[in-house]
Amino acid sequence: MTMGTVKESLNEPSRYRVPDSFERFLADLKGVAREERHPLINPRLFASALSIDIQTLATQAHVHRTTISRAQGAEKLQRYLRDALRVLGAAADINGDFHDALFWFRNEPLSAFDYKTPEQLVSEGRAEDLLRYVQALQAGVVG
């Protein structure tokens, strides 16, 4: 996907085609940041990749929905996005498939965390716990 196409998809999120790799997704995020001249994770591109609307993203990040468009650099929002990216990157490293990592993040209930999804755990500020869990999975400790 070209940078112009990625940039256009920010106005029409359904046009964004999620890449096959986490590295390519990061490259898309970096490209938009470079083009906008802000070292920020673009929340609209992130939401598009996860197939969520802006209100859902705002709820997960515990910010007002207008923060997404008017204050993209808000620390609370950017912290949520960074934590979610860390978890998604770790999950993609385990199975090698970014689409599977996205599905896992949004939908898979984890018994070790009272059947909450990774998405819920990151929203609750438990990214570090989740990363330790993912690392244990990678090491073969968790069954």
Side-chain angles (χ1 to χ4, degrees), residues 13 17 22 41 46 50 52-53 58 81 84 93 105 109 134:
R17 291 197 36 141
F22 178 73
I41 299 167
F46 180 88
L50 269 75
I52 58 176
D53 60 28
L81 295 170
D93 281 349
F105 182 81
V134 170

Side-chain angles (χ1 to χ4, degrees), residues 19-30 89 92-93 96 98:
D20 291 331
S21 74
F22 178 73
E23 291 75 20
R24 183 66 234 170
F25 179 56
L26 275 182
D28 288 349
L29 288 169
K30 287 177 188 176
D93 281 349
F98 184 50

